[in-house]
Amino acid sequence: MTIGEYVKQYRKSQGLSMQAFGEKCNLSRAYISILEKGINPTTGKAFAPTIETLNKIAEVTGVTIDTLLPMLDSNQLVTVNAPSSSLSLTQQEETHIKKYRQLDADGKEEIDDLIDVKLAKLQR
């Protein structure tokens, strides 16, 4: 099973939305969506979460990383020693982030869905 399948299965069994599960893991709903799809929307290639992300997911789902890793397919990509990225944001991007952070969970989910729809249209 892929990490995305594991997350989706866990979410469904616990009655959690992507937003709720993401909040438990300190990850965005959009990230959970990408994780479950298993495709990096920027590159179109298989998505490789970091070992730190796998640790967060393991913790939230009540297993250790040592238990989680053997459950995953041998072809599940994982990023180890990912370089830290320093994003350079425009003033407009910073303003959007500040506004986004002021939204409640429903508002954030609506914005995440809108972004997913717009990105899907670009990929056609």
Side-chain angles (χ1 to χ4, degrees), residues 63-119:
V63 299
T64 66
I65 191 75
D66 293 331
T67 302
L68 178 60
L69 288 175
M71 295 168 63
L72 303 178
D73 293 341
S74 60
N75 61 352
Q76 170 66 63
L77 299 175
V78 177
T79 302
V80 181
N81 296 330
S84 61
S85 65
S86 57
L87 289 177
S88 176
L89 300 176
T90 66
Q91 184 62 44
Q92 184 181 25
E93 290 168 331
E94 287 182 19
T95 300
H96 286 306
I97 291 169
K98 287 176 185 174
K99 289 178 181 178
Y100 180 86
R101 288 181 177 167
Q102 293 174 15
L103 297 171
D104 63 8
D106 289 335
K108 288 178 181 177
E109 188 168 353
E110 286 179 36
I111 297 300
D112 291 341
D113 289 341
L114 179 62
I115 290 170
D116 288 344
V117 168
K118 292 291 185 181
L119 288 174

